[in-house]
Amino acid sequence: ITYPTYNTAASYTTGTVVPSSDDVTHGPFNIGLTFTFFGNNYTQFYIGSNGWIGFSAGQTTGYVAQYIPNASSPMNCILADWEDLLPGSSNIRYTTIGTAPNRKLVVSFNQVPHYSCGTNLHTFQFVLNETSGIIDINYLSKPQCGASNATAGLVNSNNTNGRIVTGK
């Protein structure tokens, strides 16, 4: 895990809109490439309205950030900002950019309000890189809502292995 300065992979307002609401999971959507995550290959993904993307159906719609892995966390997923977010009809978008073997899946959360702090707008983006398997999470805005916490990290498919992003 590194903390580089970045340029966004695509505009936060580029791609297919995923109309969303409170505490839901959307998908599956086609990635547009094959992505390897914890040694497994995936061609589809899911979006959790509470700040995560994953590769398995039936994941929790929970919104309370916790240490990972645990029985209440989403599994087989990438958590950028797992907390109680409240996206609307056009705050989430996804697109696949580039050409093989250097394509990227970009999933953007743009100005998504926090459920309890509606003026706190969260803007971040997941970037899955085809050949390298590198996962970039670009944060533009990640305000704190009172004492509530958020979780960032990775969790494998059977919830036995997690990687946290320290300080998140």
Side-chain angles (χ1 to χ4, degrees):
I1 297 172
T2 61
Y3 300 95
T5 301
Y6 69 94
N7 293 317
T8 57
S11 166
Y12 289 100
T13 57
T14 298
T16 302
V17 173
V18 179
S20 193
S21 59
D22 192 28
D23 304 333
V24 295
T25 301
H26 306 285
F29 304 106
N30 290 326
I31 296 174
L33 54 99
T34 299
F35 189 75
T36 304
F37 186 70
F38 281 101
N40 297 306
N41 293 327
Y42 299 97
T43 58
Q44 293 187 314
F45 73 104
Y46 297 82
I47 298 172
S49 65
N50 289 317
W52 58 268
I53 64 172
F55 304 101
S56 297
Q59 296 305 310
T60 181
T61 56
Y63 54 86
V64 178
Q66 301 174 36
Y67 289 101
I68 56 173
N70 72 65
S72 299
S73 72
M75 294 184 287
N76 208 24
C77 68
I78 304 162
L79 307 158
D81 186 18
W82 181 34
E83 62 180 306
D84 199 5
L85 300 179
L86 183 59
S89 62
S90 63
N91 296 107
I92 302 173
R93 296 173 185 258
Y94 72 93
T95 188
T96 301
I97 60 173
T99 57
N102 297 306
R103 293 171 289 192
K104 298 177 182 200
L105 170 67
V106 181
V107 180
S108 298
F109 281 60
N110 185 42
Q111 297 185 349
V112 176
H114 190 280
Y115 184 84
S116 298
C117 302
T119 59
N120 283 6
L121 302 180
H122 299 241
T123 299
F124 55 92
Q125 157 180 101
F126 302 85
V127 182
L128 308 185
N129 294 274
E130 179 177 22
T131 300
S132 67
I134 290 174
I135 301 165
D136 293 318
I137 300 174
N138 301 328
Y139 296 93
L140 182 63
S141 173
K142 202 289 181 214
Q144 180 83 21
C145 178
S148 64
N149 293 313
T151 303
L154 312 172
V155 180
N156 71 343
S157 62
N158 62 6
N159 207 19
T160 59
N161 193 353
R163 300 281 192 264
I164 64 165
V165 176
T166 57
K168 300 286 180 195

